[in-house]
Amino acid sequence: MEQHHQHNTARLAEEEKDRDTNGQRLSDHVHEVQPSPSHDKMTPSHQGHVAHGDMIQDFKRRLIVSVILTVPVLILSHHIQQFFGFSLRFPGSEILLFLLASVVYFYGGYPFFAGFKDELKKRLPGMMTLVAVAITVAYLYSSAVVFGLSGMDFFWELVTLIDIMLLGHLIEMRSTMGASRALEELARILPSQAHLIEDGEVREVNVSDLKPEDRVLVKPGEKIPVDGQVLEGATDVNESMLTGESQPVIKKVGDEVMGGSINGSGSITVAVKKTGKDTYLSQVIELVKQAQESRSRTQNLANRAAFVLTVVALAVGSLTLAAWLIYGKEFAFAIERAVTVMVTACPHALGLAIPLVVAVSTSLAAKSGLLVRDRQAFESARDIKAVVFDKTGTLTEGRFGLTDILPLEEKDRDRILAQASSLEGRAEHPIARALMEIAEDRGLPIYDVEHFHLIPGEGIQGRIEGRHLKIVSPNYLRQHGIARDAKLEGLMHQGKTVVVLLEDDRPLGALALADIVRKESREAVNALKSMGIRCMMLTGDNRYVAEAVSKELGLDEFFADVLPGEKAETIRKIQKEFSVVMVGDGVNDAPALAQADVGIAIGAGTQVAIQTADIVLVRNNPGDVVNIIKLSRKTYSKMLQNLFWATGYNVIAIPLAAGVLYSWGILLSPAAGALLMSLSTVIVAANAKTLKYQSAPLAND
């Protein structure tokens, strides 16, 4: 691909910045949210996202009410009074305790009953089943005690269990969001209005009202509203958000343009060719949607542990009741043993084992500029075997830097740069800005330019100190039969953007510019390779550019000239051999970000990339990919520790609660079982907090 120099004054529009997670699971236990975008109108449905927000608000309301009612329940509970050494009794206190606990049980516990019902339908008992059974057994037994059964109630355990489980699920839901926002942001790339040319007059119309063969005017600096063909005018267009091409592309009469790309300084008239779902951008939206919906869903570790604990608790509780009745013990004793088993197995600790670690790790990550949007994807990062980077704006800075000054007839390099930057000072395209900044940094003089004007589609010209000078692309030399120096050809084959300074069509010298590779990119690639992770690059840029960057960074592999649809397909091919992280920043990266096992967006990238990604790097530092993987591994280790304790203590506690050592005089009382269960919760919470100290160096990595 020939590198073209843009002189029609391309003012690149600013990229929007700032995903909620692409995870479509609100909670495995409650419900799922599915986005349903409408591509015809380019306005995705907000239904799923609204439902998601409503669910979070519902959990929050239930938690607040439950916590408020928990206070008097604790004050009225016999266990609490005995522990703190006070007594509070008055006529009707037991009934009041029963009524308050009943409200918490039915209102606060409703989501778990709904989840229990859903798990039964799917025949996959898990966390919700265990919670529902535990709180129901505790409620029924405690209610029976209030109304005459010999024993001690568990109302305080009941309400605190519901509080903690609501809190745990609320934390979990906040860490997962709907996928619809990515699709919404894609749609927003297109402008809502267009300048329709009709009967020689220009009027504003909605983009949705445009039809094929309509003629629209696109003014300098505006977004092109539709896919079409240039009928009049010439300009340069920034397509980097759509194709990944780092250079603005010259568009002349007959050339095709894409809706959502950004016009430079020239006014053009465009004939509409595609609308609605047929447009390039709509196809990108569909690719993102398909990749998101095809994502595999890994079962939560806590759910698997809860399934085992559910089976064990139910089985042991039932066996305990039956065994003591067969043994000849009275019913009150037998039911007390069964209830103790169920209360001891209550998943306070299990309910917080994962959400607390997630809360600590995501908070720690945020302080280090790593925003986790999708928890499951973040957890998956620990097993990543390959990282695929976008080039422009990710591995590179997305701006030009001067790499070479090639003297030809003029031997003074500084003079070549000074004259070129003086001419370019009258333009506004990226190359012009880069040359001006470089000249200013070097303290070079800026010459007065007379008779400055553009050479449409070819360059610029003017007079400096009485000399007629031009700045043109190498393509201009070929078109006008001017011999190109071998060294000049060599620079072009290195994937660099080359401009030539002419005087009366005599080459005085040439300047080569290239997208600046981030220093952090080299460090990131070296660190990843030291961890045994393959590093690849996926770009819409040409092969020369891609090869040069790949060699400079020591990448294992690169893919060039790749379109958005091809990016997603390339990721799928890589996934056949490796688990993949995709790191990108543009619209063109969105399908690949959604398809990858973990999608990571550079923070200065487009809103679309960020909304599609699972993780966002706020600091624009590719090295943070290393930090994400390290933190994921530490987080997973902490999760395993918590799950081990949350479930492992039951190996001792449940048999004691069942009374297997009763003949030796060892019997775990309901209060002791509840205390042990509460202690496990404290241990799990404390262990989760230690993650911040173990990962303290993260911010400085």
Side-chain angles (χ1 to χ4, degrees), residues 47-58:
Q47 182 177 357
H49 187 66
V50 171
H52 178 83
D54 290 344
M55 181 65 69
I56 290 179
Q57 291 302 316
D58 181 66

Side-chain angles (χ1 to χ4, degrees), residues 19 27 39 46 50 71 120 186 226 248 327 351 454 491 504 576 601 639 661 682 688:
R19 158 188 196 269
S27 171
H39 298 300
H46 293 67
V50 171
V71 176
L120 286 182
L186 280 169
V226 292
Y327 190 70
L454 299 172
L491 291 175
D504 299 323
K576 293 179 180 178
M639 288 178 177
L661 300 181
V682 173

Side-chain angles (χ1 to χ4, degrees), residues 460-502:
I460 56 178
Q461 61 183 348
R463 297 188 71 84
I464 295 179
E465 297 182 333
R467 304 168 67 194
H468 181 227
L469 302 178
K470 298 177 183 177
I471 293 288
V472 298
S473 71
N475 192 47
Y476 177 92
L477 304 185
R478 180 179 58 82
Q479 292 176 348
H480 291 78
I482 303 172
R484 299 198 299 198
D485 185 271
K487 294 180 180 178
L488 181 64
E489 295 284 350
L491 291 175
M492 295 172 60
H493 285 293
Q494 292 175 26
K496 298 177 179 179
T497 297
V498 180
V499 296
V500 184
L501 177 66
L502 304 179

Side-chain angles (χ1 to χ4, degrees), residues 187-206:
R188 290 174 187 167
I189 289 177
L190 285 179
S192 59
Q193 299 287 310
H195 311 299
L196 176 65
I197 303 174
E198 205 170 42
D199 300 327
E201 296 185 354
V202 180
R203 62 186 180 92
E204 297 290 314
V205 299
N206 293 327

Side-chain angles (χ1 to χ4, degrees), residues 61-239:
R61 285 192 297 269
R62 294 181 188 276
L63 175 61
I64 292 172
V65 172
S66 297
V67 169
I68 292 173
L69 294 179
T70 293
V71 176
V73 169
L74 292 176
I75 294 174
L76 293 172
S77 288
H78 298 163
H79 282 130
I80 301 301
Q81 293 179 15
Q82 290 178 0
F83 184 82
F84 288 100
F86 73 95
S87 178
L88 180 62
R89 294 285 189 276
F90 54 86
S93 61
E94 295 289 337
I95 299 299
L96 178 60
L97 174 62
F98 166 74
L99 293 175
L100 292 171
S102 295
V103 174
V104 176
Y105 172 73
F106 287 106
Y107 181 71
Y110 174 79
F112 308 110
F113 302 141
F116 171 54
K117 181 180 178 182
D118 186 60
E119 288 179 353
L120 286 182
K121 285 183 179 179
K122 295 179 180 179
R123 298 180 181 179
L124 291 172
M127 177 75 76
M128 291 301 191
T129 300
L130 188 56
V131 174
V133 170
I135 62 177
T136 298
V137 170
Y139 177 75
L140 293 177
Y141 175 78
S142 299
S143 300
V145 170
V146 169
F147 292 103
L149 184 69
S150 175
M152 188 172 288
D153 67 78
F154 294 106
F155 282 134
W156 77 275
E157 272 300 323
L158 167 69
V159 296
T160 56
L161 173 61
I162 292 173
D163 292 346
I164 290 178
M165 295 307 302
L166 286 173
L167 176 62
H169 280 73
L170 185 61
I171 293 173
E172 184 179 24
M173 284 189 291
R174 286 184 178 277
S175 72
T176 50
M177 295 288 182
S180 59
R181 285 195 177 182
L183 302 173
E184 292 173 12
E185 295 299 335
L186 280 169
R188 290 174 187 167
I189 289 177
L190 285 179
S192 59
Q193 299 287 310
H195 311 299
L196 176 65
I197 303 174
E198 205 170 42
D199 300 327
E201 296 185 354
V202 180
R203 62 186 180 92
E204 297 290 314
V205 299
N206 293 327
V207 172
S208 58
D209 295 332
L210 294 174
K211 304 180 299 294
E213 303 309 321
D214 281 346
R215 299 165 72 236
V216 295
L217 174 66
V218 185
K219 299 178 181 180
E222 292 184 337
K223 289 183 178 180
I224 297 173
V226 292
D227 290 8
Q229 187 176 46
V230 179
L231 296 179
E232 298 177 12
T235 190
D236 51 293
V237 176
N238 176 17
E239 298 179 344

Side-chain angles (χ1 to χ4, degrees), residues 14-18 241 392-394 518 584-587 589 601-610 616-618 620:
E14 302 172 22
E15 291 188 340
E16 304 171 43
K17 307 173 179 37
D18 205 21
M241 293 176 63
T392 306
T394 302
R518 300 180 190 272
D585 72 327
V587 174
D589 301 317
I602 292 288
T606 66
Q607 184 74 7
V608 175
I610 291 170
V616 177
L617 308 183
V618 176
N620 285 359

Side-chain angles (χ1 to χ4, degrees), residues 240-253:
S240 61
M241 293 176 63
L242 297 173
T243 68
E245 174 61 57
S246 58
Q247 309 298 321
V249 181
I250 291 176
K251 299 293 184 180
K252 305 183 293 295
V253 174

